[in-house]
Amino acid sequence: IPSINKFFEDILFDFSHEIAFIPLAYDKEWMLDKYWINICVKNLVENAIKYGQKPIAVTISLIDNDDKLEVIVADKGSLGLSESSNGLGIGLNIVKQIIKEMKGQFIVLNNPTRFIIRIGAKNDFVS
């Protein structure tokens, strides 16, 4: 994708009145599977809107010397679960599996709720 920020702006457009989007300070291009990342991010945002507490924010950053893209979907709610992702429902388990197949990480944090996707630009995932 030629612009990380534009890609995520497009994904989040339909939710723009319900969430805050915090883009990269310095935009850049990135290689990722657009279809599957779109599904994962939309699923996380829809869950935050439906089950979380406002405010809801989606933050994009580059970590590990810009080797990984990090997407954080955060709200002020609580999962009422342990720190593991067990019992999060079918949609979140699908996100977890997709990110695993893309050789990325899917992290769930609680109090407040944060879902974190970390993925490198070069992965072996084929859609």
Side-chain angles (χ1 to χ4, degrees):
I1 58 172
S3 164
I4 293 171
N5 288 341
K6 175 74 170 120
F7 174 72
F8 284 97
E9 284 173 8
D10 290 347
I11 290 174
L12 300 170
F13 178 78
D14 291 338
F15 309 107
S16 60
H17 61 284
E18 298 182 84
I19 67 165
F21 173 53
I22 302 152
L24 292 173
Y26 299 98
D27 198 10
K28 67 182 291 183
E29 62 183 24
W30 200 259
M31 186 185 319
L32 54 74
D33 189 304
K34 296 187 286 188
Y35 175 80
W36 290 110
I37 290 294
N38 186 339
I39 286 176
C40 290
V41 171
K42 281 186 175 180
N43 181 293
L44 296 176
V45 170
E46 287 169 354
N47 281 342
I49 291 167
K50 188 172 183 179
Y51 302 111
Q53 288 184 355
K54 292 184 180 183
I56 300 166
V58 177
T59 305
I60 310 299
S61 57
L62 294 173
I63 60 170
D64 295 340
N65 295 320
D66 292 353
D67 286 339
K68 290 183 182 167
L69 178 67
E70 181 175 76
V71 181
I72 302 174
V73 179
D75 67 63
K76 297 298 180 190
S78 174
L79 294 172
L81 303 171
S82 67
E83 295 297 322
S84 75
S85 61
N86 295 334
L88 291 178
I90 293 171
L92 295 178
N93 284 323
I94 289 170
V95 171
K96 181 179 178 181
Q97 187 61 38
I98 290 169
I99 298 305
K100 180 180 175 183
E101 292 289 327
M102 295 176 82
K103 312 267 189 277
Q105 291 178 287
F106 181 58
I107 301 163
V108 179
L109 300 173
N110 201 3
N111 292 325
T113 304
R114 286 151 294 156
F115 295 102
I116 303 168
I117 295 171
R118 291 182 182 151
I119 188 150
K122 296 179 174 80
N123 62 72
D124 299 323
F125 188 76
V126 177
S127 56

PDB file of all heavy atoms in Angstrom, residues 13-49:
ATOM      1  N   PHE A  13     -13.404   4.913   7.764  1.00  0.00           N
ATOM      2  CA  PHE A  13     -14.277   6.001   7.332  1.00  0.00           C
ATOM      3  C   PHE A  13     -15.703   5.864   7.881  1.00  0.00           C
ATOM      4  O   PHE A  13     -16.271   6.830   8.390  1.00  0.00           O
ATOM      5  CB  PHE A  13     -14.305   6.095   5.809  1.00  0.00           C
ATOM      6  CG  PHE A  13     -15.215   7.164   5.305  1.00  0.00           C
ATOM      7  CD1 PHE A  13     -14.820   8.492   5.323  1.00  0.00           C
ATOM      8  CD2 PHE A  13     -16.493   6.854   4.846  1.00  0.00           C
ATOM      9  CE1 PHE A  13     -15.667   9.499   4.872  1.00  0.00           C
ATOM     10  CE2 PHE A  13     -17.346   7.846   4.395  1.00  0.00           C
ATOM     11  CZ  PHE A  13     -16.932   9.171   4.413  1.00  0.00           C
ATOM     12  N   ASP A  14     -16.278   4.671   7.783  1.00  0.00           N
ATOM     13  CA  ASP A  14     -17.666   4.481   8.234  1.00  0.00           C
ATOM     14  C   ASP A  14     -17.828   4.626   9.747  1.00  0.00           C
ATOM     15  O   ASP A  14     -18.949   4.776  10.235  1.00  0.00           O
ATOM     16  CB  ASP A  14     -18.191   3.110   7.804  1.00  0.00           C
ATOM     17  CG  ASP A  14     -18.393   3.015   6.300  1.00  0.00           C
ATOM     18  OD1 ASP A  14     -18.542   4.074   5.646  1.00  0.00           O
ATOM     19  OD2 ASP A  14     -18.399   1.885   5.774  1.00  0.00           O
ATOM     20  N   PHE A  15     -16.727   4.569  10.487  1.00  0.00           N
ATOM     21  CA  PHE A  15     -16.772   4.669  11.949  1.00  0.00           C
ATOM     22  C   PHE A  15     -16.282   6.027  12.452  1.00  0.00           C
ATOM     23  O   PHE A  15     -16.180   6.247  13.654  1.00  0.00           O
ATOM     24  CB  PHE A  15     -15.889   3.584  12.578  1.00  0.00           C
ATOM     25  CG  PHE A  15     -16.161   2.203  12.071  1.00  0.00           C
ATOM     26  CD1 PHE A  15     -15.272   1.578  11.213  1.00  0.00           C
ATOM     27  CD2 PHE A  15     -17.308   1.519  12.451  1.00  0.00           C
ATOM     28  CE1 PHE A  15     -15.515   0.301  10.746  1.00  0.00           C
ATOM     29  CE2 PHE A  15     -17.560   0.236  11.990  1.00  0.00           C
ATOM     30  CZ  PHE A  15     -16.663  -0.380  11.129  1.00  0.00           C
ATOM     31  N   SER A  16     -15.986   6.944  11.544  1.00  0.00           N
ATOM     32  CA  SER A  16     -15.304   8.190  11.918  1.00  0.00           C
ATOM     33  C   SER A  16     -16.071   9.038  12.929  1.00  0.00           C
ATOM     34  O   SER A  16     -15.465   9.791  13.686  1.00  0.00           O
ATOM     35  CB  SER A  16     -14.968   9.019  10.676  1.00  0.00           C
ATOM     36  OG  SER A  16     -16.147   9.356   9.982  1.00  0.00           O
ATOM     37  N   HIS A  17     -17.382   8.907  12.979  1.00  0.00           N
ATOM     38  CA  HIS A  17     -18.172   9.675  13.949  1.00  0.00           C
ATOM     39  C   HIS A  17     -18.197   9.017  15.331  1.00  0.00           C
ATOM     40  O   HIS A  17     -18.668   9.616  16.288  1.00  0.00           O
ATOM     41  CB  HIS A  17     -19.597   9.878  13.422  1.00  0.00           C
ATOM     42  CG  HIS A  17     -20.343   8.609  13.193  1.00  0.00           C
ATOM     43  ND1 HIS A  17     -20.105   7.800  12.107  1.00  0.00           N
ATOM     44  CD2 HIS A  17     -21.309   7.994  13.917  1.00  0.00           C
ATOM     45  CE1 HIS A  17     -20.897   6.742  12.173  1.00  0.00           C
ATOM     46  NE2 HIS A  17     -21.642   6.833  13.263  1.00  0.00           N
ATOM     47  N   GLU A  18     -17.661   7.775  15.435  1.00  0.00           N
ATOM     48  CA  GLU A  18     -17.699   7.056  16.710  1.00  0.00           C
ATOM     49  C   GLU A  18     -16.324   6.814  17.323  1.00  0.00           C
ATOM     50  O   GLU A  18     -16.244   6.400  18.478  1.00  0.00           O
ATOM     51  CB  GLU A  18     -18.403   5.716  16.525  1.00  0.00           C
ATOM     52  CG  GLU A  18     -19.855   5.870  16.093  1.00  0.00           C
ATOM     53  CD  GLU A  18     -20.546   4.538  15.959  1.00  0.00           C
ATOM     54  OE1 GLU A  18     -21.017   4.043  16.992  1.00  0.00           O
ATOM     55  OE2 GLU A  18     -20.587   4.005  14.837  1.00  0.00           O
ATOM     56  N   ILE A  19     -15.267   7.023  16.551  1.00  0.00           N
ATOM     57  CA  ILE A  19     -13.918   6.723  17.042  1.00  0.00           C
ATOM     58  C   ILE A  19     -12.966   7.870  16.724  1.00  0.00           C
ATOM     59  O   ILE A  19     -13.245   8.709  15.868  1.00  0.00           O
ATOM     60  CB  ILE A  19     -13.362   5.427  16.421  1.00  0.00           C
ATOM     61  CG1 ILE A  19     -13.132   5.610  14.901  1.00  0.00           C
ATOM     62  CG2 ILE A  19     -14.270   4.237  16.691  1.00  0.00           C
ATOM     63  CD1 ILE A  19     -12.286   4.546  14.283  1.00  0.00           C
ATOM     64  N   ALA A  20     -11.833   7.854  17.410  1.00  0.00           N
ATOM     65  CA  ALA A  20     -10.729   8.757  17.062  1.00  0.00           C
ATOM     66  C   ALA A  20      -9.687   7.927  16.322  1.00  0.00           C
ATOM     67  O   ALA A  20      -9.412   6.787  16.694  1.00  0.00           O
ATOM     68  CB  ALA A  20     -10.121   9.347  18.331  1.00  0.00           C
ATOM     69  N   PHE A  21      -9.126   8.502  15.278  1.00  0.00           N
ATOM     70  CA  PHE A  21      -8.056   7.834  14.528  1.00  0.00           C
ATOM     71  C   PHE A  21      -6.774   8.614  14.726  1.00  0.00           C
ATOM     72  O   PHE A  21      -6.730   9.820  14.477  1.00  0.00           O
ATOM     73  CB  PHE A  21      -8.414   7.746  13.039  1.00  0.00           C
ATOM     74  CG  PHE A  21      -7.299   7.224  12.176  1.00  0.00           C
ATOM     75  CD1 PHE A  21      -6.670   6.028  12.482  1.00  0.00           C
ATOM     76  CD2 PHE A  21      -6.874   7.935  11.067  1.00  0.00           C
ATOM     77  CE1 PHE A  21      -5.635   5.544  11.688  1.00  0.00           C
ATOM     78  CE2 PHE A  21      -5.855   7.461  10.261  1.00  0.00           C
ATOM     79  CZ  PHE A  21      -5.231   6.259  10.574  1.00  0.00           C
ATOM     80  N   ILE A  22      -5.745   7.929  15.183  1.00  0.00           N
ATOM     81  CA  ILE A  22      -4.440   8.548  15.404  1.00  0.00           C
ATOM     82  C   ILE A  22      -3.463   7.911  14.410  1.00  0.00           C
ATOM     83  O   ILE A  22      -2.990   6.789  14.613  1.00  0.00           O
ATOM     84  CB  ILE A  22      -3.980   8.359  16.858  1.00  0.00           C
ATOM     85  CG1 ILE A  22      -5.035   8.965  17.784  1.00  0.00           C
ATOM     86  CG2 ILE A  22      -2.613   8.994  17.079  1.00  0.00           C
ATOM     87  CD1 ILE A  22      -5.112   8.335  19.137  1.00  0.00           C
ATOM     88  N   PRO A  23      -3.185   8.610  13.306  1.00  0.00           N
ATOM     89  CA  PRO A  23      -2.339   8.044  12.244  1.00  0.00           C
ATOM     90  C   PRO A  23      -0.853   8.163  12.580  1.00  0.00           C
ATOM     91  O   PRO A  23      -0.464   8.746  13.598  1.00  0.00           O
ATOM     92  CB  PRO A  23      -2.691   8.913  11.035  1.00  0.00           C
ATOM     93  CG  PRO A  23      -3.043  10.235  11.637  1.00  0.00           C
ATOM     94  CD  PRO A  23      -3.703   9.924  12.961  1.00  0.00           C
ATOM     95  N   LEU A  24      -0.049   7.626  11.684  1.00  0.00           N
ATOM     96  CA  LEU A  24       1.399   7.780  11.803  1.00  0.00           C
ATOM     97  C   LEU A  24       1.773   9.252  11.686  1.00  0.00           C
ATOM     98  O   LEU A  24       1.192   9.981  10.873  1.00  0.00           O
ATOM     99  CB  LEU A  24       2.119   7.040  10.669  1.00  0.00           C
ATOM    100  CG  LEU A  24       2.057   5.524  10.649  1.00  0.00           C
ATOM    101  CD1 LEU A  24       2.682   5.008   9.359  1.00  0.00           C
ATOM    102  CD2 LEU A  24       2.758   4.933  11.858  1.00  0.00           C
ATOM    103  N   ALA A  25       2.754   9.671  12.449  1.00  0.00           N
ATOM    104  CA  ALA A  25       3.248  11.047  12.337  1.00  0.00           C
ATOM    105  C   ALA A  25       3.921  11.252  10.984  1.00  0.00           C
ATOM    106  O   ALA A  25       3.795  12.308  10.372  1.00  0.00           O
ATOM    107  CB  ALA A  25       4.218  11.353  13.474  1.00  0.00           C
ATOM    108  N   TYR A  26       4.613  10.230  10.502  1.00  0.00           N
ATOM    109  CA  TYR A  26       5.282  10.274   9.205  1.00  0.00           C
ATOM    110  C   TYR A  26       4.804   9.078   8.404  1.00  0.00           C
ATOM    111  O   TYR A  26       5.215   7.949   8.651  1.00  0.00           O
ATOM    112  CB  TYR A  26       6.800  10.243   9.367  1.00  0.00           C
ATOM    113  CG  TYR A  26       7.307  11.420  10.154  1.00  0.00           C
ATOM    114  CD1 TYR A  26       7.594  11.315  11.513  1.00  0.00           C
ATOM    115  CD2 TYR A  26       7.464  12.654   9.541  1.00  0.00           C
ATOM    116  CE1 TYR A  26       8.038  12.408  12.242  1.00  0.00           C
ATOM    117  CE2 TYR A  26       7.896  13.759  10.260  1.00  0.00           C
ATOM    118  CZ  TYR A  26       8.188  13.624  11.600  1.00  0.00           C
ATOM    119  OH  TYR A  26       8.618  14.700  12.321  1.00  0.00           O
ATOM    120  N   ASP A  27       3.933   9.342   7.455  1.00  0.00           N
ATOM    121  CA  ASP A  27       3.324   8.296   6.650  1.00  0.00           C
ATOM    122  C   ASP A  27       4.373   7.595   5.795  1.00  0.00           C
ATOM    123  O   ASP A  27       5.408   8.180   5.451  1.00  0.00           O
ATOM    124  CB  ASP A  27       2.250   8.930   5.761  1.00  0.00           C
ATOM    125  CG  ASP A  27       1.272   7.914   5.213  1.00  0.00           C
ATOM    126  OD1 ASP A  27       1.286   6.751   5.656  1.00  0.00           O
ATOM    127  OD2 ASP A  27       0.473   8.301   4.340  1.00  0.00           O
ATOM    128  N   LYS A  28       4.106   6.345   5.453  1.00  0.00           N
ATOM    129  CA  LYS A  28       4.993   5.606   4.552  1.00  0.00           C
ATOM    130  C   LYS A  28       4.224   4.492   3.878  1.00  0.00           C
ATOM    131  O   LYS A  28       3.088   4.208   4.237  1.00  0.00           O
ATOM    132  CB  LYS A  28       6.220   5.088   5.293  1.00  0.00           C
ATOM    133  CG  LYS A  28       5.936   4.029   6.335  1.00  0.00           C
ATOM    134  CD  LYS A  28       7.192   3.589   7.080  1.00  0.00           C
ATOM    135  CE  LYS A  28       8.123   2.826   6.200  1.00  0.00           C
ATOM    136  NZ  LYS A  28       9.311   2.311   6.858  1.00  0.00           N
ATOM    137  N   GLU A  29       4.851   3.850   2.925  1.00  0.00           N
ATOM    138  CA  GLU A  29       4.228   2.714   2.257  1.00  0.00           C
ATOM    139  C   GLU A  29       4.495   1.450   3.079  1.00  0.00           C
ATOM    140  O   GLU A  29       5.387   1.425   3.940  1.00  0.00           O
ATOM    141  CB  GLU A  29       4.749   2.557   0.835  1.00  0.00           C
ATOM    142  CG  GLU A  29       6.214   2.274   0.729  1.00  0.00           C
ATOM    143  CD  GLU A  29       6.686   2.196  -0.718  1.00  0.00           C
ATOM    144  OE1 GLU A  29       6.047   2.773  -1.615  1.00  0.00           O
ATOM    145  OE2 GLU A  29       7.729   1.547  -0.930  1.00  0.00           O
ATOM    146  N   TRP A  30       3.720   0.412   2.807  1.00  0.00           N
ATOM    147  CA  TRP A  30       3.851  -0.830   3.573  1.00  0.00           C
ATOM    148  C   TRP A  30       3.308  -1.980   2.746  1.00  0.00           C
ATOM    149  O   TRP A  30       2.399  -1.790   1.946  1.00  0.00           O
ATOM    150  CB  TRP A  30       3.055  -0.714   4.872  1.00  0.00           C
ATOM    151  CG  TRP A  30       3.460  -1.687   5.931  1.00  0.00           C
ATOM    152  CD1 TRP A  30       2.826  -2.851   6.261  1.00  0.00           C
ATOM    153  CD2 TRP A  30       4.568  -1.589   6.799  1.00  0.00           C
ATOM    154  NE1 TRP A  30       3.471  -3.463   7.287  1.00  0.00           N
ATOM    155  CE2 TRP A  30       4.553  -2.711   7.636  1.00  0.00           C
ATOM    156  CE3 TRP A  30       5.596  -0.654   6.963  1.00  0.00           C
ATOM    157  CZ2 TRP A  30       5.515  -2.935   8.620  1.00  0.00           C
ATOM    158  CZ3 TRP A  30       6.539  -0.874   7.935  1.00  0.00           C
ATOM    159  CH2 TRP A  30       6.500  -1.996   8.747  1.00  0.00           C
ATOM    160  N   MET A  31       3.839  -3.161   2.937  1.00  0.00           N
ATOM    161  CA  MET A  31       3.356  -4.329   2.234  1.00  0.00           C
ATOM    162  C   MET A  31       2.579  -5.203   3.225  1.00  0.00           C
ATOM    163  O   MET A  31       3.133  -5.631   4.239  1.00  0.00           O
ATOM    164  CB  MET A  31       4.508  -5.145   1.645  1.00  0.00           C
ATOM    165  CG  MET A  31       4.017  -6.283   0.786  1.00  0.00           C
ATOM    166  SD  MET A  31       5.290  -7.407   0.161  1.00  0.00           S
ATOM    167  CE  MET A  31       6.595  -6.310  -0.301  1.00  0.00           C
ATOM    168  N   LEU A  32       1.274  -5.383   2.952  1.00  0.00           N
ATOM    169  CA  LEU A  32       0.461  -6.259   3.779  1.00  0.00           C
ATOM    170  C   LEU A  32      -0.729  -6.741   2.984  1.00  0.00           C
ATOM    171  O   LEU A  32      -1.011  -6.246   1.900  1.00  0.00           O
ATOM    172  CB  LEU A  32       0.024  -5.574   5.076  1.00  0.00           C
ATOM    173  CG  LEU A  32      -0.699  -4.223   5.022  1.00  0.00           C
ATOM    174  CD1 LEU A  32      -2.127  -4.328   4.556  1.00  0.00           C
ATOM    175  CD2 LEU A  32      -0.658  -3.607   6.397  1.00  0.00           C
ATOM    176  N   ASP A  33      -1.400  -7.735   3.507  1.00  0.00           N
ATOM    177  CA  ASP A  33      -2.584  -8.255   2.850  1.00  0.00           C
ATOM    178  C   ASP A  33      -3.760  -7.352   3.214  1.00  0.00           C
ATOM    179  O   ASP A  33      -4.293  -7.420   4.324  1.00  0.00           O
ATOM    180  CB  ASP A  33      -2.840  -9.697   3.299  1.00  0.00           C
ATOM    181  CG  ASP A  33      -3.937 -10.349   2.483  1.00  0.00           C
ATOM    182  OD1 ASP A  33      -5.056  -9.784   2.437  1.00  0.00           O
ATOM    183  OD2 ASP A  33      -3.675 -11.400   1.890  1.00  0.00           O
ATOM    184  N   LYS A  34      -4.133  -6.487   2.285  1.00  0.00           N
ATOM    185  CA  LYS A  34      -5.171  -5.481   2.547  1.00  0.00           C
ATOM    186  C   LYS A  34      -6.512  -6.106   2.925  1.00  0.00           C
ATOM    187  O   LYS A  34      -7.193  -5.609   3.815  1.00  0.00           O
ATOM    188  CB  LYS A  34      -5.353  -4.569   1.329  1.00  0.00           C
ATOM    189  CG  LYS A  34      -4.137  -3.733   1.004  1.00  0.00           C
ATOM    190  CD  LYS A  34      -4.413  -2.732  -0.078  1.00  0.00           C
ATOM    191  CE  LYS A  34      -4.519  -3.367  -1.417  1.00  0.00           C
ATOM    192  NZ  LYS A  34      -4.600  -2.388  -2.510  1.00  0.00           N
ATOM    193  N   TYR A  35      -6.882  -7.163   2.262  1.00  0.00           N
ATOM    194  CA  TYR A  35      -8.185  -7.781   2.507  1.00  0.00           C
ATOM    195  C   TYR A  35      -8.304  -8.255   3.955  1.00  0.00           C
ATOM    196  O   TYR A  35      -9.268  -7.927   4.655  1.00  0.00           O
ATOM    197  CB  TYR A  35      -8.397  -8.953   1.537  1.00  0.00           C
ATOM    198  CG  TYR A  35      -9.675  -9.710   1.802  1.00  0.00           C
ATOM    199  CD1 TYR A  35     -10.890  -9.215   1.354  1.00  0.00           C
ATOM    200  CD2 TYR A  35      -9.659 -10.910   2.506  1.00  0.00           C
ATOM    201  CE1 TYR A  35     -12.074  -9.901   1.604  1.00  0.00           C
ATOM    202  CE2 TYR A  35     -10.833 -11.604   2.762  1.00  0.00           C
ATOM    203  CZ  TYR A  35     -12.034 -11.093   2.307  1.00  0.00           C
ATOM    204  OH  TYR A  35     -13.201 -11.771   2.563  1.00  0.00           O
ATOM    205  N   TRP A  36      -7.331  -9.030   4.416  1.00  0.00           N
ATOM    206  CA  TRP A  36      -7.419  -9.622   5.748  1.00  0.00           C
ATOM    207  C   TRP A  36      -7.212  -8.597   6.861  1.00  0.00           C
ATOM    208  O   TRP A  36      -7.858  -8.673   7.912  1.00  0.00           O
ATOM    209  CB  TRP A  36      -6.456 -10.801   5.884  1.00  0.00           C
ATOM    210  CG  TRP A  36      -6.919 -11.962   5.050  1.00  0.00           C
ATOM    211  CD1 TRP A  36      -6.333 -12.442   3.917  1.00  0.00           C
ATOM    212  CD2 TRP A  36      -8.084 -12.754   5.262  1.00  0.00           C
ATOM    213  NE1 TRP A  36      -7.066 -13.489   3.413  1.00  0.00           N
ATOM    214  CE2 TRP A  36      -8.144 -13.708   4.223  1.00  0.00           C
ATOM    215  CE3 TRP A  36      -9.083 -12.759   6.233  1.00  0.00           C
ATOM    216  CZ2 TRP A  36      -9.167 -14.656   4.140  1.00  0.00           C
ATOM    217  CZ3 TRP A  36     -10.104 -13.711   6.148  1.00  0.00           C
ATOM    218  CH2 TRP A  36     -10.135 -14.639   5.109  1.00  0.00           C
ATOM    219  N   ILE A  37      -6.346  -7.630   6.658  1.00  0.00           N
ATOM    220  CA  ILE A  37      -6.178  -6.583   7.672  1.00  0.00           C
ATOM    221  C   ILE A  37      -7.469  -5.761   7.789  1.00  0.00           C
ATOM    222  O   ILE A  37      -7.891  -5.398   8.882  1.00  0.00           O
ATOM    223  CB  ILE A  37      -4.966  -5.675   7.356  1.00  0.00           C
ATOM    224  CG1 ILE A  37      -3.666  -6.457   7.550  1.00  0.00           C
ATOM    225  CG2 ILE A  37      -4.982  -4.416   8.201  1.00  0.00           C
ATOM    226  CD1 ILE A  37      -3.385  -6.863   8.986  1.00  0.00           C
ATOM    227  N   ASN A  38      -8.100  -5.490   6.670  1.00  0.00           N
ATOM    228  CA  ASN A  38      -9.378  -4.788   6.664  1.00  0.00           C
ATOM    229  C   ASN A  38     -10.397  -5.551   7.526  1.00  0.00           C
ATOM    230  O   ASN A  38     -11.069  -4.954   8.381  1.00  0.00           O
ATOM    231  CB  ASN A  38      -9.872  -4.648   5.222  1.00  0.00           C
ATOM    232  CG  ASN A  38     -11.116  -3.809   5.081  1.00  0.00           C
ATOM    233  OD1 ASN A  38     -11.874  -3.599   6.014  1.00  0.00           O
ATOM    234  ND2 ASN A  38     -11.337  -3.332   3.874  1.00  0.00           N
ATOM    235  N   ILE A  39     -10.523  -6.846   7.314  1.00  0.00           N
ATOM    236  CA  ILE A  39     -11.460  -7.657   8.092  1.00  0.00           C
ATOM    237  C   ILE A  39     -11.131  -7.609   9.575  1.00  0.00           C
ATOM    238  O   ILE A  39     -12.006  -7.423  10.420  1.00  0.00           O
ATOM    239  CB  ILE A  39     -11.474  -9.116   7.574  1.00  0.00           C
ATOM    240  CG1 ILE A  39     -12.217  -9.163   6.242  1.00  0.00           C
ATOM    241  CG2 ILE A  39     -12.106 -10.061   8.598  1.00  0.00           C
ATOM    242  CD1 ILE A  39     -12.213 -10.506   5.582  1.00  0.00           C
ATOM    243  N   CYS A  40      -9.847  -7.757   9.913  1.00  0.00           N
ATOM    244  CA  CYS A  40      -9.431  -7.770  11.320  1.00  0.00           C
ATOM    245  C   CYS A  40      -9.719  -6.436  12.005  1.00  0.00           C
ATOM    246  O   CYS A  40     -10.306  -6.405  13.098  1.00  0.00           O
ATOM    247  CB  CYS A  40      -7.946  -8.100  11.426  1.00  0.00           C
ATOM    248  SG  CYS A  40      -7.547  -9.803  10.996  1.00  0.00           S
ATOM    249  N   VAL A  41      -9.335  -5.343  11.384  1.00  0.00           N
ATOM    250  CA  VAL A  41      -9.501  -4.026  12.005  1.00  0.00           C
ATOM    251  C   VAL A  41     -10.986  -3.687  12.142  1.00  0.00           C
ATOM    252  O   VAL A  41     -11.423  -3.217  13.199  1.00  0.00           O
ATOM    253  CB  VAL A  41      -8.725  -2.943  11.230  1.00  0.00           C
ATOM    254  CG1 VAL A  41      -9.075  -1.552  11.733  1.00  0.00           C
ATOM    255  CG2 VAL A  41      -7.219  -3.195  11.342  1.00  0.00           C
ATOM    256  N   LYS A  42     -11.761  -3.930  11.104  1.00  0.00           N
ATOM    257  CA  LYS A  42     -13.197  -3.652  11.195  1.00  0.00           C
ATOM    258  C   LYS A  42     -13.847  -4.480  12.301  1.00  0.00           C
ATOM    259  O   LYS A  42     -14.692  -3.984  13.042  1.00  0.00           O
ATOM    260  CB  LYS A  42     -13.896  -3.913   9.861  1.00  0.00           C
ATOM    261  CG  LYS A  42     -13.716  -2.792   8.875  1.00  0.00           C
ATOM    262  CD  LYS A  42     -14.543  -3.011   7.635  1.00  0.00           C
ATOM    263  CE  LYS A  42     -14.428  -1.813   6.717  1.00  0.00           C
ATOM    264  NZ  LYS A  42     -15.225  -1.991   5.492  1.00  0.00           N
ATOM    265  N   ASN A  43     -13.463  -5.738  12.438  1.00  0.00           N
ATOM    266  CA  ASN A  43     -14.009  -6.590  13.487  1.00  0.00           C
ATOM    267  C   ASN A  43     -13.700  -6.009  14.862  1.00  0.00           C
ATOM    268  O   ASN A  43     -14.585  -5.904  15.718  1.00  0.00           O
ATOM    269  CB  ASN A  43     -13.432  -8.001  13.361  1.00  0.00           C
ATOM    270  CG  ASN A  43     -13.983  -8.945  14.404  1.00  0.00           C
ATOM    271  OD1 ASN A  43     -13.719  -8.795  15.594  1.00  0.00           O
ATOM    272  ND2 ASN A  43     -14.731  -9.939  13.957  1.00  0.00           N
ATOM    273  N   LEU A  44     -12.464  -5.598  15.082  1.00  0.00           N
ATOM    274  CA  LEU A  44     -12.068  -5.048  16.378  1.00  0.00           C
ATOM    275  C   LEU A  44     -12.796  -3.738  16.684  1.00  0.00           C
ATOM    276  O   LEU A  44     -13.244  -3.508  17.810  1.00  0.00           O
ATOM    277  CB  LEU A  44     -10.559  -4.853  16.432  1.00  0.00           C
ATOM    278  CG  LEU A  44      -9.726  -6.137  16.340  1.00  0.00           C
ATOM    279  CD1 LEU A  44      -8.240  -5.797  16.312  1.00  0.00           C
ATOM    280  CD2 LEU A  44     -10.054  -7.098  17.461  1.00  0.00           C
ATOM    281  N   VAL A  45     -12.927  -2.879  15.672  1.00  0.00           N
ATOM    282  CA  VAL A  45     -13.611  -1.599  15.874  1.00  0.00           C
ATOM    283  C   VAL A  45     -15.103  -1.830  16.140  1.00  0.00           C
ATOM    284  O   VAL A  45     -15.678  -1.216  17.044  1.00  0.00           O
ATOM    285  CB  VAL A  45     -13.392  -0.656  14.676  1.00  0.00           C
ATOM    286  CG1 VAL A  45     -14.289   0.571  14.765  1.00  0.00           C
ATOM    287  CG2 VAL A  45     -11.923  -0.242  14.592  1.00  0.00           C
ATOM    288  N   GLU A  46     -15.729  -2.700  15.370  1.00  0.00           N
ATOM    289  CA  GLU A  46     -17.150  -2.988  15.594  1.00  0.00           C
ATOM    290  C   GLU A  46     -17.384  -3.553  16.998  1.00  0.00           C
ATOM    291  O   GLU A  46     -18.357  -3.195  17.664  1.00  0.00           O
ATOM    292  CB  GLU A  46     -17.662  -3.958  14.528  1.00  0.00           C
ATOM    293  CG  GLU A  46     -17.814  -3.295  13.168  1.00  0.00           C
ATOM    294  CD  GLU A  46     -18.058  -4.273  12.033  1.00  0.00           C
ATOM    295  OE1 GLU A  46     -18.011  -5.511  12.257  1.00  0.00           O
ATOM    296  OE2 GLU A  46     -18.281  -3.807  10.900  1.00  0.00           O
ATOM    297  N   ASN A  47     -16.487  -4.429  17.463  1.00  0.00           N
ATOM    298  CA  ASN A  47     -16.604  -4.960  18.826  1.00  0.00           C
ATOM    299  C   ASN A  47     -16.444  -3.858  19.861  1.00  0.00           C
ATOM    300  O   ASN A  47     -17.162  -3.831  20.865  1.00  0.00           O
ATOM    301  CB  ASN A  47     -15.568  -6.059  19.073  1.00  0.00           C
ATOM    302  CG  ASN A  47     -15.975  -7.378  18.471  1.00  0.00           C
ATOM    303  OD1 ASN A  47     -17.137  -7.605  18.150  1.00  0.00           O
ATOM    304  ND2 ASN A  47     -15.011  -8.261  18.301  1.00  0.00           N
ATOM    305  N   ALA A  48     -15.497  -2.962  19.642  1.00  0.00           N
ATOM    306  CA  ALA A  48     -15.287  -1.861  20.596  1.00  0.00           C
ATOM    307  C   ALA A  48     -16.529  -0.970  20.664  1.00  0.00           C
ATOM    308  O   ALA A  48     -16.944  -0.551  21.750  1.00  0.00           O
ATOM    309  CB  ALA A  48     -14.060  -1.045  20.198  1.00  0.00           C
ATOM    310  N   ILE A  49     -17.127  -0.687  19.517  1.00  0.00           N
ATOM    311  CA  ILE A  49     -18.328   0.154  19.485  1.00  0.00           C
ATOM    312  C   ILE A  49     -19.497  -0.559  20.175  1.00  0.00           C
ATOM    313  O   ILE A  49     -20.229   0.044  20.952  1.00  0.00           O
ATOM    314  CB  ILE A  49     -18.684   0.538  18.036  1.00  0.00           C
ATOM    315  CG1 ILE A  49     -17.627   1.503  17.479  1.00  0.00           C
ATOM    316  CG2 ILE A  49     -20.083   1.150  17.957  1.00  0.00           C
ATOM    317  CD1 ILE A  49     -17.703   1.713  15.979  1.00  0.00           C
TER     318      ILE A  49
END
